[in-house]
Amino acid sequence: MSDREYKEWLNLANKELKEREIDDLKWKTPEGIEVKPLYTENDLKNIKHKIGLPGLPPYTRGPRATMYANRPWTIRQYAGFSTAEESNKFYKEGLKNGVMGLSVAFDLATHRGYDSDHPRVVADVGNAGVAIDSVEDMNTLFNGIPLEKMSVSMTMNGAVIPVLACFIASGLNQGCPLEKLTGTIQNDILKEFMVRNTFIFPPKPSMRIVADIIEYTSKNMPKFNSISISGYHMQEAGANQVQELAYTLADGKEYINAALRRGLDIDEFAPRLSFFWSIGMNFFMEIAKMRAARYMWSEIVSQFNPKNKKSLALRTHCQTSGVSLVEQDAYNNIVRTTIEAMAAVMGGTQSLHTNSFDEALALPTPFSARIARNTQLILAEETGINNVIDPLAGSYYLESLTSEMISEANKLIDEIDEVGGMVKAIEMGIPKMRIEESSAKKQARVDSEEEIVVGVNKYKPTEKQDINILSIDNDEVRTRQVSNLKKLKGSRDNKVVNKYLDKIETSAKDDSQNLLEICIEAAKNKCTVGEMTSAMEKVFGRHTLSTKTISGIYSKTIKKSEKISSINDHIEKFIEKNGRRPRMLVVKMGQDGHDRGAKLIATAFSDLGFDVDVGPLFQTPSEAATQAIENDVHIIGVSSLAAGHKTLVPILMEALKENDANYIKVICGGVIPPQDYDFLKKLGVSKVFGPGTNIPEAAIEIINML
């Protein structure tokens, strides 16, 4: 474009804008990247980073030369429902209707390495996924599904060794040799310490486990991906796209170093590493993130001098955002998921899971899961997207945005490198703090209506929505699992079991031993997930996390308004009457480690003038009640995400009653089906706040309640 042409456009645009300036149309992304109103071919001249061709380094345009023109992305359905029997039925139905690979969600008890009969998981068995206690459950899960033909992805990190051992043992039971087992195990423990919190052991032994899995699968399972380095849970916890990109790649770098220290050659394992991104509503930003990731990973791996070009290629699975799903006007979520799925495909994903529209309310029903699955089928079969390789390449805007993302993400990676790598950075709390700051800023923008969420803070529905939801009877699931465990333990050779458990404990003390190899034999001999975990725990210990919250970020970001002034007035009146500020204890009970909601409430309410205590993760209801009484709080805020509220809240209310502490009010928030609100209120819960709640409005309501 010539200077004359640009000036002509500028004059025309200014006439259309009338009194405004072109600069008024500039927009800054939450990551701080300035976006211009117009991009031209001149912008491509300034790009520092090579675009290249699909299938060739630096792989910006895709890891395969022909991409979807030759082979479309794999349509996956991430699911796990209560028991292995129920999940097996769901998988078979999906396979009949176009699903090409299975993705397993495990329940919270399994994630944390507890068997279903453990007293700490009374509310967690069968919630948010399938309960797996032994190889017998894994056999049931894949009954009639030939593992030599089916790619299986498993989201498992904490109890990764015993769960993977049960999967391998189940495959061998089917007659499937190790070299034919296909799929991915997440095995990404570093992000657990940052955001998701379903860890078991401390960082150092956890990294040893990662290396054991990479080593074993590299030597014995050539079709199996030993790790899925995950940014998904970072974005779900509030990370912006640059943070998700940078911290995920920094994790990948740390895993490479762990494998190299084990004595592996880079080309032995790098081609089997994979990645996992969250895809949110910022359409072009998500596409640019995926392109930038491939470029940056190629640059990172090249530092280790691989001889195989495939070692440089980043391959990825994507999942549409869970946090973008809202309870209010929930059918809008179908549109959001469609937009996010398009971004994943335009960005060049190798496989994709689309969330169901009702997941802000409960687990998906078969009806909603079918819509989610068909979203991908329509994209693949009806749009023509598959006919052209990387159709958005060369876009002035997209290529500029990709280059900007690379530059910004590299700044964060440099910060990690300067402190000695990701393990050190996690120990110092750097990524966790940055992500929590980003989360607080986003919430403040939504509460201030700077960031619009249709149906939540603008264009709110006037009619009541009627949505059928799936409800899991946790007590029934736990009863069945405990009964099955009892039968298993009564029918196996317990002398052999104890021999293998002793062997696991001994091997945990010796870094030269491969724990996965030993646990496979233990699983074959019917050692349970909890027993194998306990054997390692005797050596490694169980990790605990200190509870810290940030302050000042929410209050600095939220716009001053009448609501904020009203909160200040209410707080002052409360202090005059009671001699102190309103005091709240925010708790996460059970084994759910997703603490974004709890941290947001704690941070925002503290900034709004409340005294806020935060309970440690994985509390029991009785522990939460004791802390509330000892801290002399006015109110307990229960954060729930994984459907444990129907079991945990009644126990909490009973514990308060037994301690003559009924004066402490209880409120609940999170993913709680509206159908359960009356149940909770009958227990004595004062108020239930769903996803998308405006925090200043909630604060005023709570002060009035007190």
Side-chain angles (χ1 to χ4, degrees), residues 355-487:
N355 289 331
S356 299
F357 74 88
D358 51 359
E359 289 185 58
L361 303 166
L363 288 170
T365 62
F367 170 74
S368 64
R370 184 170 178 269
I371 293 173
R373 181 174 64 244
N374 286 351
T375 301
Q376 292 198 56
L377 292 171
I378 290 165
L379 284 175
E381 302 287 350
E382 297 186 24
T383 62
I385 283 173
N386 291 350
N387 298 332
V388 176
I389 301 160
D390 192 22
L392 290 185
S395 156
Y396 306 142
Y397 172 41
L398 184 61
E399 299 297 0
S400 299
L401 194 57
T402 301
S403 187
E404 287 279 353
M405 287 201 79
I406 292 167
S407 298
E408 292 301 310
N410 274 327
K411 290 176 188 175
L412 291 181
I413 290 176
D414 289 344
E415 180 183 45
I416 298 300
D417 288 343
E418 282 166 16
V419 300
M422 200 42 132
V423 172
K424 284 274 169 56
I426 287 169
E427 288 171 351
M428 294 167 70
I430 294 170
K432 195 173 188 70
M433 177 187 69
R434 296 257 186 272
I435 290 169
E436 287 179 11
E437 287 174 354
S438 173
S439 176
K441 287 177 182 176
K442 181 177 175 65
Q443 184 65 43
R445 290 194 303 272
V446 172
D447 287 343
S448 299
E449 296 181 19
E450 285 181 80
E451 198 168 306
I452 299 302
V453 183
V454 173
V456 175
N457 60 5
K458 200 172 183 181
Y459 315 113
K460 296 178 184 179
T462 53
E463 68 282 354
K464 189 179 178 184
Q465 62 184 5
D466 186 18
I467 297 173
N468 290 324
I469 63 153
L470 180 69
S471 180
I472 300 294
D473 187 338
N474 166 255
D475 289 336
E476 183 189 336
V477 174
R478 188 168 187 269
T479 299
R480 284 167 67 182
Q481 285 297 122
V482 170
S483 174
N484 289 341
L485 265 173
K486 195 173 180 181
K487 286 177 192 169

Side-chain angles (χ1 to χ4, degrees), residues 33-48:
I33 296 172
E34 191 172 88
V35 175
K36 301 187 298 181
L38 178 72
Y39 287 81
T40 71
E41 64 264 33
N42 294 335
D43 290 289
L44 290 185
K45 296 172 188 173
N46 301 322
I47 287 175
K48 306 171 194 170

Side-chain angles (χ1 to χ4, degrees), residues 247-264:
Y247 295 148
T248 306
L249 296 183
D251 281 352
K253 200 169 165 184
E254 195 80 27
Y255 293 133
I256 285 178
N257 283 318
L260 293 176
R261 285 194 295 272
R262 182 53 62 92
L264 296 174

